[in-house]
Amino acid sequence: MGEILALVEARLLAALGEPDARAAVTFLGTDRIEVLRFVDGDVVRYATLGMSAQPMADPTATLADPVKGPRAELILSVRAGLADTDKVLRPLAVLAASPQVEGVIVAPGASLEVGEPLWPGAPFSSVLVAEPGGLVEDLEMDVPVEPVRFLPLLPMTHNEAAWKRVRGAQELQERWLSHGTDLRDPLRGSVNLD
């Protein structure tokens, strides 16, 4: 487990540079989750470290495989200085712990809900899990361990989350793209869904 996390941290640092801050959260019955903060010009990136220590298990399986199964870490990118986004550390750690706590598999296209604003005043309490490979490349592991995927998170307003449940992740992403939505704006409103 420690070896995997060391490799994951090295991949994050190679892609994003040195973190300027880090925080750790431990939930009862789970492994420790760290959240690293990286500043890149006017963008702040928050990356989890610890979610990939254990493979995500199918919640219907009678016994979780300690080696096989998808592994991932989460990355959230927002514009700096517009909101108190550092308060996202705990909600991000909650999302990263959800595979251990709730037995869910976090994959592209999924919605994750925290039940409260991601940071004070945020119009978002949920995120859409996007496709990996853009910002941080997958980390290949020795077989039978599956690669660690670095999954971008895209904050969704309540209306966007409801629309996504009906129309699907692809249509929501197309709507954002066609309207030129700045998904890094921590104060943005909902995209036009008419």
Side-chain angles (χ1 to χ4, degrees):
M1 178 176 90
E3 178 184 328
I4 289 174
L5 292 184
L7 294 170
V8 168
E9 184 170 2
R11 175 59 56 97
L12 284 169
L13 271 54
L16 304 175
E18 282 295 321
D20 74 335
R22 63 192 320 151
V25 180
T26 305
F27 303 100
L28 187 63
T30 67
D31 297 324
R32 180 173 116 144
I33 303 287
E34 285 189 86
V35 180
L36 285 58
R37 183 180 72 186
F38 302 88
V39 178
D40 181 14
D42 70 338
V43 174
V44 180
R45 291 190 171 88
Y46 301 93
T48 63
L49 179 62
M51 181 178 172
S52 61
Q54 304 292 331
M56 292 181 270
D58 181 344
T60 61
T62 53
L63 194 60
D65 190 312
V67 177
K68 292 182 182 176
R71 294 175 189 260
E73 296 290 353
L74 308 175
I75 300 176
L76 174 70
S77 299
V78 293
R79 298 223 176 275
L82 301 176
D84 188 10
T85 56
D86 281 350
K87 297 284 197 270
V88 78
L89 301 177
R90 184 167 178 73
L92 263 184
V94 167
L95 295 177
S98 63
Q100 287 183 55
V101 175
E102 299 170 26
V104 297
I105 294 179
V106 177
S111 299
L112 301 177
E113 172 71 43
V114 294
E116 61 185 34
L118 291 175
W119 51 81
F124 321 105
S125 61
S126 63
V127 294
L128 175 65
V129 180
E131 290 291 331
L135 192 59
V136 182
E137 289 184 28
D138 292 353
L139 176 62
E140 296 296 329
M141 305 298 291
D142 292 333
V143 175
V145 178
E146 291 187 29
V148 176
R149 303 170 86 197
F150 297 88
L151 302 171
L153 301 180
L154 308 174
M156 293 188 293
T157 65
H158 295 293
N159 288 344
E160 290 168 342
W163 200 79
K164 183 256 175 196
R165 281 192 291 277
V166 174
R167 305 291 285 272
Q170 184 66 37
E171 284 200 36
L172 177 59
Q173 288 179 300
E174 288 172 7
R175 180 63 56 117
W176 282 335
L177 189 60
S178 68
H179 284 79
T181 306
D182 181 0
L183 296 174
R184 294 179 179 169
D185 181 352
L187 303 174
R188 75 171 179 85
S190 187
V191 70
N192 183 348
L193 299 171
D194 294 332

